[in-house]
Amino acid sequence: SSIPVLTIDGPGGAGKGTISRLIAERLGWHLLDSGCLYRLTALAALRKNVALDDEAMLAQLATGLDVEFRVAGAVTAVLLEGDEVGQEIRTEKVGDCASRVAALPAVRTALLQRQRDFRLSPGLVADGRDMGTVVFTDATLKIFLTASAEERARRRYLQLREAGVDASLSSLLREIQARDARDTQRSVAPLVAADDAIELDTTSLSIPEVVDQLEELLAQKG
Ligand code: C5P
């Protein structure tokens, strides 16, 4: 495909979501939050009482996922079978189930075409773990966004506090480390930088600094 794609992969909490949204807005490109599809599959499984190790059933759920993304300005409503679930899919519980479901090869295969369908003119910013290594191997620019686990825990802590949620920094750090271990050690599509990805460590960078750098890197490709 000649439609440009910018892939942004990396561990949870590195700022991929925020950065991807901002750069997509700035470029006027479409946005794929691939984690959202894994979260929706997990939520559908929880709602239908499907066991999280029933690979065949989960793949079937992923294939038939009835989702709709309704873009309204800066916010995108996420609907699962007509229900707004934008808040619910962001919970730790659903995130944890998503990372289990995402370890199953049949589920990943089931979601492959759905992800590729997001590649529409004038371009796509794709955020996830395997955007550059599996889903869009021919991407225009591949970024691997990282930050230290401590910094990612700190960012999450501040985010939760701002939202009025009680949290402990040390337990957030433990959760982040557990999620990292699961995402990097799984046998299918493990979290790893593509050979041709550019690694960007955001530990001491601000959000606008990262967005500026990405725009510059993309301009060099064009
Ligand atoms: O990015 P987010 O935290 O929303 O992703 C939820 C989970 O989905 C991750 O922990 C990861 O296990 C999985 N995931 C994945 N491949 C992607 C995106 C997310 O395996 N491309």
Side-chain angles (χ1 to χ4, degrees):
S1 171
S2 59
I3 298 172
V5 183
L6 164 62
T7 59
I8 304 184
D9 290 307
K16 284 175 303 180
T18 306
I19 301 294
S20 300
R21 189 170 43 76
L22 289 173
I23 189 95
E25 266 169 27
R26 207 184 274 189
L27 298 166
W29 286 11
H30 298 272
L31 177 65
L32 165 62
D33 169 4
S34 59
C36 182
L37 295 174
Y38 290 96
R39 288 173 183 270
L40 287 163
T41 304
L43 181 59
L46 290 169
R47 287 189 167 181
K48 293 181 157 57
N49 278 315
V50 173
L52 293 180
D53 59 357
D54 187 342
E55 186 164 359
M57 257 316 273
L58 291 167
Q60 209 176 311
L61 262 187
T63 305
L65 218 50
D66 170 14
V67 298
E68 193 192 326
F69 298 95
R70 260 187 221 153
V71 184
V75 284
T76 300
V78 184
L79 292 95
L80 177 63
E81 289 173 352
D83 275 358
E84 160 61 44
V85 294
Q87 299 270 334
E88 199 176 354
I89 57 167
R90 293 294 148 207
T91 59
E92 286 301 314
K93 182 182 178 192
V94 173
D96 189 69
C97 294
S99 94
R100 289 169 197 278
V101 165
L104 305 171
V107 171
R108 305 200 71 86
T109 306
L111 291 177
L112 207 50
Q113 192 54 48
R114 197 185 280 266
Q115 295 176 83
R116 290 184 175 145
D117 289 344
F118 279 78
R119 189 170 190 167
L120 298 169
S121 186
L124 174 68
V125 178
D127 151 7
R129 304 292 189 288
D130 64 341
M131 298 297 97
T133 50
V134 177
V135 183
F136 303 106
T137 50
D138 64 337
T140 319
L141 175 66
K142 300 179 184 181
I143 298 293
F144 196 75
L145 211 62
T146 62
S148 69
E150 288 74 16
E151 173 64 14
R152 289 184 282 134
R154 200 186 62 87
R155 289 176 186 171
R156 179 79 182 135
Y157 175 75
L158 293 176
Q159 229 176 30
L160 288 173
R161 269 225 326 219
E162 207 160 288
V165 180
D166 250 342
S168 123
L169 196 53
S170 60
S171 72
L172 285 173
L173 180 58
R174 275 198 303 276
E175 276 164 25
I176 281 180
Q177 287 166 332
R179 183 90 51 95
D180 280 359
R182 198 152 53 221
D183 288 351
T184 52
Q185 287 159 18
R186 70 179 174 218
S187 53
V188 291
L191 175 63
V192 62
D195 288 336
D196 50 352
I198 295 175
E199 271 195 61
L200 199 57
D201 185 338
T202 70
T203 304
S204 52
L205 294 177
S206 70
I207 290 167
E209 282 172 332
V210 177
V211 176
D212 284 346
Q213 283 204 25
L214 291 190
E215 212 174 21
E216 244 167 68
L217 287 167
L218 204 55
Q220 286 167 18
K221 294 278 177 177

